[in-house]
């Protein structure tokens, strides 16, 4: 049989260990979220650049078609 003081000490150790595991998991998940936000930012910048390029090409094509028609 485990003495009550030993049981309390074991319980505190279990709680501390569980807390450390939760903190490690939280740190890992936070790092993953930061990575996802960075990836999203890069994709947004790429989409913006491509959209601007499509707009420029559309404007140029429109101008050429108008010039060819006149």
């Amino acid at each position: 049989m485990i003495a009550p003081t030993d049981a309390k000490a074991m319980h505190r150790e279990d709680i501390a260990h569980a807390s450390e595991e939760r903190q490690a998991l939280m740190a890992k998940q936070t790092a993953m979220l930061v990575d996802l936000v960075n990836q999203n930012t890069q994709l947004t910048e790429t989409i913006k650049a491509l959209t601007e390029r499509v707009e420029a090409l559309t404007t140029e094509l429109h101008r050429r078609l108008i010039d060819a028609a006149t």
Side-chain angles (χ1 to χ4, degrees):
M1 182 169 178
I2 300 175
T5 54
D6 291 339
K8 287 180 183 179
M10 289 173 57
H11 181 66
R12 280 193 300 273
E13 288 176 19
D14 289 344
I15 290 173
H17 180 68
S19 177
E20 290 171 359
E21 287 180 345
R22 283 192 301 274
Q23 287 177 352
L25 180 59
M26 198 174 1
K28 181 180 177 182
Q29 289 175 341
T30 299
M32 290 171 64
L33 285 171
V34 168
D35 187 45
L36 286 172
V37 168
N38 288 334
Q39 288 179 28
N40 182 269
T41 300
Q42 290 174 350
L43 287 171
T44 300
E45 290 170 355
T46 300
I47 289 168
K48 181 180 182 279
L50 290 172
T51 301
E52 290 170 352
R53 182 68 180 138
V54 166
E55 180 182 13
L57 291 171
T58 302
T59 301
E60 180 182 343
L61 178 62
H62 179 49
R63 184 187 56 79
R64 286 185 183 197
L65 288 173
I66 295 299
D67 287 349
T70 56

